[in-house]
């Protein structure tokens, strides 16, 4: 009751005190209890200001944050005209402290909604009710947080936001009300610094800590950014069942400063490593399916607004470091997205659409680094099972020291199809995409650089579509189109070249559409160097090691699926160049003009024009050595229903291939690199071949084909073929050629007209009858048939063919065999038979052109002399006629007429001399060898196959020669049964009317073997091969041993005529000099063997010849053009046997004297049924038959002799002299013919003249210092005889001596058996 005793003043004071206590203590306690109960937050309210209706010192604490609000007050437009809303909440200062993330979520996201129905968020009604009456204004918000980097320092984040206002309104539609909230901030400031870790005292009162202030004045400032912020949120209309319609964010005046960049990045990496170490032990394994479901939860619960707009206006960024300090600007950034969820057939489907626009950007830290882009735009749309992406970039430039990316304009469009059910685990892009409706990429003026590698192109266009990505290469559901212009790539790090351009081209086009592939390449250039090869091999993956069964199965699947749907391929290449450089800087330059290729399932066509390959010794070397030159060629291939594939290559124009040892080494290096690359990328597995398929190959040349080769040192050769064709299929082979020409050093040496070569199968039996005649074991064998129309061999005068062919050509051939020699483990196979036919063979040894012209000029002078005498006689007749009519004609007039006639005759001679070779060609041959209708057959047989059988056969054929006890090893050894047939065989000297040899219908048959003994060390000579370039001089060892011939031959000849005379000896001497340039002399320094010892050394066996008519003509005149003075020795039906040391003639002998008188065709001697035997006894220092003991010696490997003895490898084998026994026997026959001799007086005088001619001395031919021929003269065989024993036995002899042919007077002797024997 004491209350009522108080006066009014006291009562008012007491009520004021009670009200103050309620507001100051009770209301804060109630508010604290309510917030804790409702929101599970720890909150403390310091006090309430009754005067301003405000809360002071409000503190809120959570597990992660501590918030301190200095003042919270309320204003109303009812009481304050400056208040914008009915209720306005003013917050003066807000301080927020982040608790170091100790209780931050480090556990993986949990899948709480697995198996549960998702609940959609809806716009709360309270927002639409209060937003138009409530406004919030915050003066300042400060945030401080830190993360520990190491034990002493950490990264501190300080954020300050000023003048924050939250306002809202409502929009009223037809029957809906929607709320709109606007959040604005005039200044947002944030800073990241590196500083010491706070202590316990500072953590106990963080809001008063010096770290809490934005500018504390300590630590190292790393990041600092400020901007103005605006957020617009439009909620969905009330009762619409949706949450948020629009969310817009606008940022203005963005400023970013980044200092101490390198140090910050180091601290940041330490922080991330520390976080990963702390979370790895606690973090459980997560899968991509959890994150996919999280995204689905956000979408289908409508947590994402339907439309989001994010925009940044002018932006400035400053980045500084120890060495860099720059400012960059961005004109604008805009991002807009729409996300709608709509039910389709009872299933919620998502439609997402976004647009990203980026304005002008300029970033240039220094002159080495910069980034700029004028426009960046990206459109993305995801609707049902389709995804659309549209990317547009203009004028982008990115540079960083030696790395750069620059292009003018680039655009990417794609429309992709997605699978209906996304895979949860694992999540891969190829398992999400189902189809590609259309993908387009366009770019122009792109330049890219990565260190020393550069690339650029003018424009690029790529378009692709695919109906099903799971079956890209198996069905016709894929379409691709690619167009790239002016692509250039450069590499500056290669040691071989200054600037390398690996790939360059003007235009590249590719398309795949409607089961057809097309490609086009123009103006391309490819360069390949070892440095690039090493780089690619280090980048590209190595082949996988798979089992054989797995590899074969995968290969079969790949062959069945990949590109199996294609129906056609079309490829075009124009003006393409390629450079290949080896390790030693040798280069290949390839130039391809045009390539057009088409292909389908049954036919393939390729056309190539101007294909050239050159080589050079260095990249910068301008001297190019040609290798290939193919102006135009074509390739065709077709496959029949029986799986037979026919290949055809056609060369339409003149084609050239060049060869040299240097080019060969380059090709070997190139092939070796190809093999290494093939092994590098080829997976190991078995190769499966289709045994049911067959193929045939055909090569046609419609023009000339030239193979030019540079030999070892000084010489070169050229092989030219015209219009040839090669067919090969299975076991058959055929080669047809119109003409083949062979040149050495520009001089034509050989020519073949109409060359045909074919392989005949074994069953045809082309040589069966010949094998039966030879009594061979094997009845039939496969054979090669060669048919040649004409063969021409020409050896030009004074040209050293032996040096070019034997020394360099053969040396290069052996060098090639040495380079590619591989050990063979295959058992030897019986060789095929060989049948060669020549319709005509012409072998010509060139004559001295001076002597030819001299002879022609002599004939011209002789003819002109007789013609001038005729003209002079005509003139004299006319002068005599003039004297009859004019007796007073002066003698000077006559002399003048005769002088004019002489001048006219000289003028005629000069004119005829100039036109001498216009009507007919100049004679070129010194020796002409002509053969017609030649057939040569060689047949192999098991009885003559194998080293041991061949050695036994050689001993049988050469039984007189002793076989070494230790045996012999051969480097070359073979044997055949041969058959050689010639219709006509003629040898002509110059233009002499009488041939040196003329024979018809010659047939050889029998066994022929050849063997070359394996050379010992002294019999090997070293031949150098100059390769050139970076290669050293290589060498090849060649044997000095000769190839020896062993035979057992029979011969039938219809007619054989041989002529000789002293008048031909100069020409034959000239032939011997020419043969020295054709057949190489032995490199053994020993004195050369005479021809008779060479025959004994090289030829061994038996030769039997049956000649119907054998004629020997002996010229009895010194004029080689005279055919009227000669002696003829004729054998009729003669059999000749030539064995070791014995020559036998058995037949009818007739001796005729050919003269221009009436005694012409006079048979001087007739000896029927005569046997003439020559037994030759070669006297040697050792056994004359032991030719196996001869061992040649190389010039640099001569043995050392104790005395001044001249080396002679043939000393024991060389014959000292020849002892010969001649036996002449006749036998009586039933025929009335008997030995007879008819002599005339004139005949004896003719023999006396022949004796004088034969005993004359032959003048030397081209001998002496002037002709560089100082070798000693060869000794004729006539001076090699030492003992000759002659035995004659005639069963009957008739001699007639007549004084003259017209008078039958003389002496006749008719005698019985006569025997005579000489002692010497």
């Amino acid at each position: 009751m004491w209350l009522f005793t108080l006066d009014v003043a006291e009562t008012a004071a007491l009520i004021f005190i009670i009200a103050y206590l309620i507001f100051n203590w009770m209301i804060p306690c109630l508010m604290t209890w309510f917030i804790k109960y409702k929101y599970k937050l720890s909150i403390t309210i310091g006090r309430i200001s009754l005067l301003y209706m405000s809360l002071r010192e409000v503190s809120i604490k959570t597990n992660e944050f501590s918030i301190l609000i200095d003042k919270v007050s309320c204003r109303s437009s009812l009481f304050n005209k400056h208040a914008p809303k009915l209720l306005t909440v003013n917050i003066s200062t807000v301080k927020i402290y982040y608790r170091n993330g100790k209780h931050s979520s480090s556990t993986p996201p949990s899948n709480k909604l697995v198996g549960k129905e998702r609940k959609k968020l809806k716009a709360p009604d309270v927002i639409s009710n209060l937003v138009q009456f409530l406004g919030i204004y915050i003066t300042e918000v400060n945030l401080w947080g830190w993360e520990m980097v190491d034990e002493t320092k950490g990264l501190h984040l300080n954020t300050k936001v000023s003048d924050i206002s939250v306002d809202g309104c409502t929009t009223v539609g037809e029957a809906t009300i929607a709320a709109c909230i606007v959040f604005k901030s005039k200044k947002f400031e944030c800073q990241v610094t590196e500083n010491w870790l706070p202590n316990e005292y500072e953590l106990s009162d963080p809001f008063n800590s010096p770290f809490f202030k934005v500018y504390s004045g300590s630590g190292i400032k790393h990041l600092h950014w400020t901007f103005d912020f605006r957020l617009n949120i439009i909620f969905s209309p009330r009762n619409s069942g949706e949450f948020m319609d629009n969310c817009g964010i606008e940022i203005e005046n963005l400023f970013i400063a980044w200092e101490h960049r390198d140090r910050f990045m180091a601290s940041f990496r330490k922080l991330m490593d520390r976080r990963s170490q702390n979370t790895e032990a606690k973090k459980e394994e997560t899968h991509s399916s959890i994150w996919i479901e999280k995204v689905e939860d956000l979408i289908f619960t409508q947590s994402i607004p339907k439309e989001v707009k994010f925009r940044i206006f002018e932006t400035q960024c400053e980045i500084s470091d120890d060495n860099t300090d720059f400012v960059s600007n961005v004109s604008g950034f805009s991002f807009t997205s729409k996300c709608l969820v709509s039910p389709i057939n009872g299933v919620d489907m998502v439609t997402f659409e976004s647009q990203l626009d980026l304005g002008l950007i300029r970033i240039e830290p220094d002159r080495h680094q910069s980034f700029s882009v004028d426009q960046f735009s990206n459109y993305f749309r995801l609707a049902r099972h389709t995804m659309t992406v549209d990317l547009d970039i203009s004028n982008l430039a990115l540079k960083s020291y030696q790395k750069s990316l620059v292009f003018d304009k680039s655009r990417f469009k794609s429309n992709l199809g997605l699978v209906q059910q996304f895979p949860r685990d694992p999540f891969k892009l190829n398992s999400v995409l189902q189809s590609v409706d259309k993908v387009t990429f366009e770019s122009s003026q792109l330049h890219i650089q990565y260190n020393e590698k550069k690339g650029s192109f003018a424009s690029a266009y790529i378009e692709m579509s695919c109906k099903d990505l799971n079956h890209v290469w198996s069905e016709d559901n894929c379409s691709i189109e690619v167009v790239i212009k002016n692509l250039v790539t450069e590499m500056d790090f290669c040691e071989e070249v200054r600037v390398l351009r690996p790939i360059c081209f003007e235009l590249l086009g590719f398309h795949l559409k409607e089961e057809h592939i097309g490609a086009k390449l123009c103006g391309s250039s490819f360069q390949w160097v070892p440095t690039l090869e090493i780089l690619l091999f280090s980048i590209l993956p190595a082949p996988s090691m798979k089992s054989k069964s797995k590899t074969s199965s995968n290969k079969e699947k790949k062959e069945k699926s990949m590109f199996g749907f294609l129906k056609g391929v079309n490829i075009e290449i124009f003006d393409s160049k390629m450079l290949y450089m080896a390790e030693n800087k040798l280069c290949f330059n390839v130039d391809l003009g045009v390539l057009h290729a088409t292909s389908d399932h049954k036919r393939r066509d390729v056309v190539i024009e101007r294909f050239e390959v050159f080589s050079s010794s260095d990249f910068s070397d301008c001297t190019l050595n040609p290798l290939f030159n193919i102006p135009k060629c074509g390739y065709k291939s077709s496959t029949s229903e029986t799986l037979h594939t026919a290949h055809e290559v056609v060369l339409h124009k003149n084609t050239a291939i060049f060869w040299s040892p240097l080019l060969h080494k380059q090709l070997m290096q190139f092939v070796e690199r190809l093999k290494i690359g093939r092994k590098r990328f080829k997976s190991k597995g078995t190769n499966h071949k289709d045994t049911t398929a067959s193929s045939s190959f055909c090569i046609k040349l419609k023009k000339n084909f030239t193979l030019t080769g540079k030999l070892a040192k000084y010489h070169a050769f050229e092989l030219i073929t015209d219009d040839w064709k090669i067919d090969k299929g299975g076991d058959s082979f055929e080669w047809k050629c119109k003409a083949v020409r062979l040149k050495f050093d520009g001089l034509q040496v050989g020519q073949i007209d109409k060359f045909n070569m074919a392989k005949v199968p074994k069953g045809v039996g082309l040589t069966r009858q010949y094998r039966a005649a030879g009594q061979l074991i094997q009845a039939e064998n496969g054979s090669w048939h060669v048919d040649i129309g004409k063969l021409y061999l020409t050896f030009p005068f004074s040209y050293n063919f032996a040096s070019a062919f034997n020394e360099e050509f053969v040396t290069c051939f052996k060098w090639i065999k040495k380079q590619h020699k591989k050990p063979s483990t295959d058992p030897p196979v019986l060789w095929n038979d060989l049948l060669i036919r020549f319709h005509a063979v012409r072998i010509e040894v060139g004559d001295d052109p001076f002597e030819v012209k001299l002879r022609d000029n002599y004939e011209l002078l002789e003819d002109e002399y007789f013609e001038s005498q005729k003209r002079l006689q005509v003139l004299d007749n006319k002068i005599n006629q003039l004297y009859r009519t004019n007796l007073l004609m002066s003698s000077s007039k006559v002399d003048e007429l005769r002088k004019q006639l002489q001048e006219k005759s000289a003028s005629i001679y000069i004119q005829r001399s100039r036109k001498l070779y216009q009507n007919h060609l100049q004679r070129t041959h010194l020796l002409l060898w002509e053969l017609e209708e030649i057939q040569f057959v060689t047949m192999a047989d098991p009885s003559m196959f194998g080293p041991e059988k061949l050695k036994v056969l050689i001993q049988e054929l050469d039984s007189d020669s002793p076989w070494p006890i230790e045996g012999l090893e051969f480097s070359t050894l073979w044997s055949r049964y041969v058959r050689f047939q010639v219709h006509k065989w003629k040898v002509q000297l110059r233009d002499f009317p009488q041939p040196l040899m003329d024979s018809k219908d010659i047939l050889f048959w029998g066994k022929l073997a050849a063997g070359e003994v394996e050379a010992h060390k002294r019999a090997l000579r070293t031949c150098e091969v100059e390769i050139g370039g970076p290669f050293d001089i290589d060498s090849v060892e060649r044997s000095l041993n000769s190839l020896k011939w062993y035979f057992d031959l029979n011969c039938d000849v219809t007619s054989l005529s041989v002529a000789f005379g002293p008048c031909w000896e100069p020409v034959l001497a000239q032939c011997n000099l020419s043969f020295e340039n054709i057949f190489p002399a032995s490199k053994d320094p020993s004195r050369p063997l005479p021809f008779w010892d060479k025959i004994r050394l090289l030829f061994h066996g038996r030769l039997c010849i049956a000649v119907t008519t054998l004629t020997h003509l002996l010229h009895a005149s010194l004029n080689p053009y005279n055919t009227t003075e000669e002696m003829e020795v004729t054998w009729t039906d003669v059999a000749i046997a030539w064995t070791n040391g014995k020559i036998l003639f058995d037949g009818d002998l007739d001796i005729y004297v050919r003269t221009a008188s009436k005694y012409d065709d006079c048979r001087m001697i007739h000896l029927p049924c005569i046997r003439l035997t020559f037994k030759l006894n070669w006297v040697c220092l050792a056994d004359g038959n032991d030719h196996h003991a001869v061992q040649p010696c190389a010039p640099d490997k001569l043995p050392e002799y104790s005395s001044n003895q001249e080396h002679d490898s043939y000393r024991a084998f060389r014959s000292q002299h020849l002892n010969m026994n001649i036996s002449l026997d006749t036998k009586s026959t039933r025929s009335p013919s008997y030995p007879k001799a008819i002599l005339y007086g004139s005949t004896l005088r003719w023999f006396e003249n022949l004796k004088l001619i034969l005993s004359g001395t032959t003048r030397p031919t081209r001998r002496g210092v002037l002709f560089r021929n100082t070798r000693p003269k060869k000794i004729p065989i006539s001076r090699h005889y030492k003992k000759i024993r002659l035995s004659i036995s005639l069963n009957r002899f008739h001699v007639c001596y007549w004084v003259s042919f017209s008078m039958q007077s003389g002496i006749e002797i008719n005698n019985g058996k006569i025997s005579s024997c000489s002692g010497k």
Side-chain angles (χ1 to χ4, degrees), residues 878-891 893-894:
K878 289 185 177 181
I879 291 174
N880 294 331
Q881 293 178 2
L882 289 175
Y883 271 125
R884 295 190 188 98
T885 58
N886 188 6
L887 299 175
L888 299 178
M889 187 177 61
S890 63
S891 61
K893 183 67 174 178
V894 175

Side-chain angles (χ1 to χ4, degrees), residues 10 52 83 100 112 153 235 258 377 405 428 585 594-595 781 930 1033 1041 1132 1194 1201 1205 1221:
E10 294 177 347
Y52 297 102
N100 195 19
K112 297 181 180 179
K153 292 185 178 182
F235 290 92
W258 187 4
S377 177
L405 174 64
K428 295 182 180 180
K585 295 187 178 181
V594 178
L595 185 145
N781 189 18
E930 293 180 323
I1033 296 178
N1041 289 335
T1132 305
Y1201 297 98
Q1205 184 178 0
N1221 293 331

Side-chain angles (χ1 to χ4, degrees), residues 839-857:
H839 296 281
V841 176
R842 179 186 174 96
I843 302 175
E844 178 181 323
V845 179
D847 197 359
D848 188 354
F850 173 75
E851 295 188 10
V852 174
K853 292 181 179 179
L854 194 65
R855 172 64 183 175
D856 294 339
N857 187 58

